[in-house]
């Protein structure tokens, strides 16, 4: 079992807001990162250090943190956002861990 | 531009070994760590460990000790993952990813599918 817990799936209609949560005991002390993985492709970093967005990532992707829960928010979801999303953080041993992943379906 | 290009798919028999390469370009290779991540079929991402590209020191996560070896050839900006005594459960896509400190894994290779089957 993962030290970071994500919902297996989230579904939204185009144009709506998708929120994907990730919970973990170490999150108040460690940054979280989010990756998008489309079928047959490598993961892509979409959020780092809880809230920062790498260059080239659309502004509709944002991150937030509150205690033991971090959230990836995708505003104005588009069909191309359909993918698996993984959170990542460091555990108490300073090892990287990934959440189990959330499949975002755009209805 | 930063690129990590991995070697192609491999089909191996149980008990054999495999060596996956990850060639970096577009940055100073020894300034960033290389991480290795496994993704079993239909499963999530699993961090295997990392190698310090400046010192060559590897760090393996529990579960990836013994049969898994990270190495480097800095003269060609390439990292390697070698797996010995392959088992069917090693069948997976293996990714290398650049470790960028606070930006975590900012660039990834395209992945290498290793299939272990008799």
């Amino acid at each position: 079992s993962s030290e970071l817990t994500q919902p297996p799936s989230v579904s939204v209609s185009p144009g709506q807001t998708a929120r994907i949560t990730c919970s973990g005991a170490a999150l108040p002390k460690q940054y979280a990162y989010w990756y998008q993985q489309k079928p047959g492709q490598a993961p892509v970093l979409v959020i780092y250090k809880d809230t920062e967005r790498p260059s080239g990532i659309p502004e509709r992707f944002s991150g937030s943190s509150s205690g033991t829960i971090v959230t990836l928010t995708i505003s104005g979801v588009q069909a191309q956002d359909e993918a698996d999303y993984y959170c990542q953080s460091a555990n108490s041993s300073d090892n990287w861990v990934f959440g189990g992943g959330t499949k975002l379906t755009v209805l | 531009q930063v690129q990590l290009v991995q070697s192609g798919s491999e089909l191996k028999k149980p008990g054999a070994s495999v060596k996956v390469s990850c060639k970096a370009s577009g940055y100073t290779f020894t300034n960033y760590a290389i991480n290795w991540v496994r993704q079993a079929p239909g499963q999530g991402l699993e961090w295997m460990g990392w190698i310090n590209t400046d010192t060559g020191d590897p760090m393996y996560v529990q579960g990836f000790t013994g049969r898994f070896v990270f190495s480097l050839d800095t003269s060609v900006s390439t990292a390697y993952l070698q797996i010995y005594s392959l088992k069917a459960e090693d069948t997976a896509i293996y990714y290398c990813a650049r470790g960028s400190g606070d930006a975590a894994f900012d660039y990834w290779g395209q992945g290498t599918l290793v299939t272990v089957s008799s």
Side-chain angles (χ1 to χ4, degrees):
Chain A
S1 66
S2 175
E3 296 170 66
L4 297 175
T5 302
Q6 299 180 234
S9 62
V10 168
S11 299
V12 294
S13 299
Q16 299 297 306
T17 297
R19 293 181 180 85
I20 300 172
T21 58
C22 172
S23 64
L27 288 176
K29 305 187 223 38
Q30 301 285 359
Y31 285 124
Y33 304 80
W34 290 94
Y35 299 88
Q36 175 195 68
Q37 186 180 34
K38 295 182 179 179
Q41 297 184 21
V44 172
L45 179 69
V46 295
I47 294 290
Y48 67 99
K49 288 174 67 176
D50 290 347
T51 61
E52 302 295 317
R53 196 174 50 249
S55 61
I57 300 301
E59 289 184 12
R60 62 179 182 274
F61 288 86
S62 63
S64 61
S65 174
S66 179
T68 60
I69 298 176
V70 293
T71 303
L72 172 68
T73 300
I74 310 171
S75 304
V77 166
Q78 301 179 5
Q80 66 201 61
D81 299 330
E82 187 162 285
D84 293 327
Y85 290 86
Y86 294 91
C87 63
Q88 178 199 29
S89 188
N91 64 12
S92 55
S93 303
D94 268 343
N95 286 337
W96 291 113
V97 291
F98 289 97
T102 298
K103 182 176 179 59
L104 175 66
T105 300
V106 181
L107 300 170
Chain B
Q1 73 282 22
V2 174
Q3 277 194 303
L4 298 175
V5 178
Q6 298 184 226
S7 48
S9 298
E10 300 269 10
L11 173 60
K12 296 290 184 180
K13 294 191 184 304
S17 63
V18 68
K19 192 170 187 177
V20 175
S21 66
C22 170
K23 182 171 177 58
S25 62
Y27 71 98
T28 301
F29 182 65
T30 51
N31 283 357
Y32 297 83
I34 291 290
N35 293 270
W36 289 96
V37 176
R38 182 172 77 177
Q39 187 168 39
Q43 301 301 308
L45 305 173
E46 188 175 16
W47 184 56
M48 302 171 63
W50 67 287
I51 186 164
N52 183 319
T53 53
D54 187 35
T55 64
D57 290 335
M59 195 289 284
Y60 305 96
V61 172
Q62 189 176 6
F64 294 101
T65 56
R67 297 189 300 116
F68 299 83
V69 176
F70 306 150
S71 62
L72 303 170
D73 185 344
T74 55
S75 69
V76 289
S77 301
T78 301
Y80 301 95
L81 163 65
Q82 198 153 7
I83 311 173
Y84 296 92
S85 302
L86 283 162
K87 306 174 182 180
E89 51 263 42
D90 294 324
T91 295
I93 298 174
Y94 292 86
Y95 293 101
C96 61
R98 191 177 82 160
S100 185
D102 283 347
F105 299 1
D106 58 352
Y107 290 92
W108 294 62
Q110 82 277 20
T112 297
L113 173 62
V114 175
T115 303
V116 183
S117 174
S118 54

